[in-house]
Amino acid sequence: MSDTPRPVFPHRHLLGIEGLSALDLTALLDLADEQVEVSRQVEKKKSTLRGRTQINLFFEPSTRTQSSFEIAGKRLGADVMNMSVASSSVKKGETLVDTAATLNAMRPDLIIVRHHAAGAVHLLAQKVDCSVVNAGDGAHEHPTQALLDALTIRRNKGGIEGLTVAICGDIVHSRVARSNMLLLATLGARVRLVAPSTLLPPGIEGLGFETFTDMRRGLDGADIVMMLRLQRERMNGSFVPSTKEYFRFYGLDQEKLSWAKPDALVMHPGPMNRGVEISSEVADGAQSLIREQVEMGVAVRMAVLEALASHLPNR
Ligand code: NCD
């Protein structure tokens, strides 16, 4: 029998929350708690990724996700290269597989990928020799967002099990919702989905998630209210009559927030559409965790990179 300790995270890639166990998730969150402390020090530099090359390959625009992966890699000592589609050969018609082969030949250790097509990151992971992290693929998954949300909840509520989390808004187009549903259910939270019927994924009731089209009922008794951006770029056709109408029924303002528990906390992955899915008063109010989510984003990405680094070859 081998006495080699089980690695903190026994996977070479992080492609999604699907397939991860409660043990895997908790290990990453525990590691992320340590990175929060590192990030709050004056000297923020570690050497876990010294000598390693990290490529951030973003086929879709991103502000916080890309910058936090960059900061996370640099804090761990990696050389980080940002490659965005606007300046790459993809614009000249190169296929994803050719791009992957080209980058692979440069011998990176980690590739962080965001792509507009669901499944693109899995495909790329099969074509390269290094570790791959999914930074959002279409409406499929966004695992580090769900992890940073879980870290924020855990630090503020002391745990996740038994909490009622209401995920509200454009669920059908949201990779954030999907990854969060999987993660929160695995860690024992009760997940509710609150949205107009046009923005709820068809057949979702059968999967054990409670759905509500009435926001008052959906928020009643909620510990966490997680708002989602109306993803107009993913909508073809009309899903909501008008943004004004949407705000009236589904936009989180102080009055609707009072329907949740008195100590309920508000989250949003950003970027926010103020006055569409959330009011400024709530977004900037005392119950909002939105800024803290951004801080946790760096810590979670450091934890993920560090966990994957333990699988990188040393020779
Ligand atoms: C989300 C995304 O890109 O999936 N944003 C993010 O990563 N912070 C959510 C969104 O775009 O609404």
Side-chain angles (χ1 to χ4, degrees):
M1 210 173 86
S2 147
D3 56 2
T4 317
R6 178 186 188 274
V8 179
F9 185 73
H11 308 276
R12 190 159 78 96
H13 306 296
L14 177 66
L15 303 179
I17 298 296
E18 191 169 11
L20 299 186
S21 66
L23 204 61
D24 293 336
L25 297 168
T26 306
L28 289 176
L29 296 177
D30 291 346
L31 193 55
D33 269 326
E34 292 171 27
Q35 314 299 336
V36 176
E37 299 313 314
V38 174
S39 293
R40 288 182 180 175
Q41 291 166 17
V42 176
E43 167 68 58
K44 301 175 178 61
K45 203 100 175 169
K46 296 178 79 175
S47 57
T48 326
L49 295 183
R50 193 168 49 203
R52 306 289 190 185
T53 302
Q54 172 186 331
I55 299 181
N56 295 338
L57 177 60
F58 277 63
F59 294 90
E60 260 187 5
S62 162
T63 313
R64 69 205 78 212
T65 304
Q66 184 168 352
S67 55
S68 67
F69 268 113
E70 180 175 357
I71 290 173
K74 287 182 171 166
R75 284 194 184 156
L76 296 175
D79 293 314
V80 185
M81 191 263 229
N82 287 308
M83 190 175 150
S84 46
V85 73
S87 54
S88 79
S89 322
V90 178
K91 278 270 185 266
K92 301 176 188 166
E94 188 173 84
T95 66
L96 180 64
V97 171
D98 284 336
T99 306
T102 304
L103 292 179
N104 194 48
M106 297 180 195
R107 299 185 147 270
D109 299 287
L110 292 145
I111 302 186
I112 319 301
V113 193
R114 170 169 285 194
H115 198 280
H116 43 81
V121 183
H122 285 71
L123 175 68
L124 191 131
Q126 289 164 13
K127 305 287 173 195
V128 296
D129 301 312
C130 64
S131 287
V132 173
V133 180
N134 183 356
D137 64 325
H140 180 225
E141 280 232 42
H142 191 353
T144 56
Q145 179 68 45
L147 284 161
L148 79 87
D149 290 339
L151 182 66
T152 311
I153 296 172
R154 204 175 76 157
R155 291 172 66 96
N156 282 276
K157 292 287 185 190
I160 290 178
E161 193 172 353
L163 292 178
T164 298
V165 181
I167 305 180
C168 311
D170 189 356
I171 293 161
V172 73
H173 298 107
S174 177
R175 54 196 175 207
V176 174
R178 217 182 110 74
S179 290
N180 263 303
M181 286 153 63
L182 293 165
L183 186 152
L184 292 166
T186 304
L187 293 187
R190 274 191 298 270
V191 182
R192 294 178 179 176
L193 308 175
V194 186
S197 53
T198 48
L199 296 179
L200 283 170
I204 194 76
E205 291 86 354
L207 298 176
F209 298 100
E210 274 186 286
T211 61
F212 297 84
T213 52
D214 179 294
M215 192 133 173
R216 183 189 281 266
R217 289 186 46 238
L219 294 194
D220 183 31
D223 297 287
I224 300 288
V225 183
M226 189 181 284
M227 301 307 299
L228 298 172
R229 184 174 66 85
L230 207 52
Q231 307 231 340
R232 280 175 283 192
E233 77 278 16
R234 293 196 207 286
M235 296 183 183
N236 35 34
S238 178
F239 285 81
V240 291
S242 73
T243 51
K244 206 167 151 228
E245 180 98 341
Y246 183 79
F247 183 75
R248 193 154 81 85
F249 289 100
Y250 294 98
L252 189 67
D253 55 12
Q254 212 60 54
E255 192 203 336
K256 294 192 191 82
L257 181 55
S258 74
W259 300 336
K261 280 195 183 159
D263 63 349
L265 296 170
V266 176
M267 303 176 73
H268 192 304
M272 288 185 277
N273 288 311
R274 291 170 183 261
V276 179
E277 70 265 354
I278 192 164
S279 73
S280 279
E281 198 191 2
V282 169
D284 305 326
Q287 287 166 272
S288 170
L289 294 177
I290 298 171
R291 290 272 163 70
E292 193 175 325
Q293 284 174 269
V294 179
E295 182 187 1
M296 295 308 123
V298 174
V300 149
R301 287 162 183 137
M302 287 172 76
V304 167
L305 297 174
E306 205 167 84
L308 296 180
S310 65
H311 301 282
L312 296 175
N314 274 320
R315 285 186 296 154

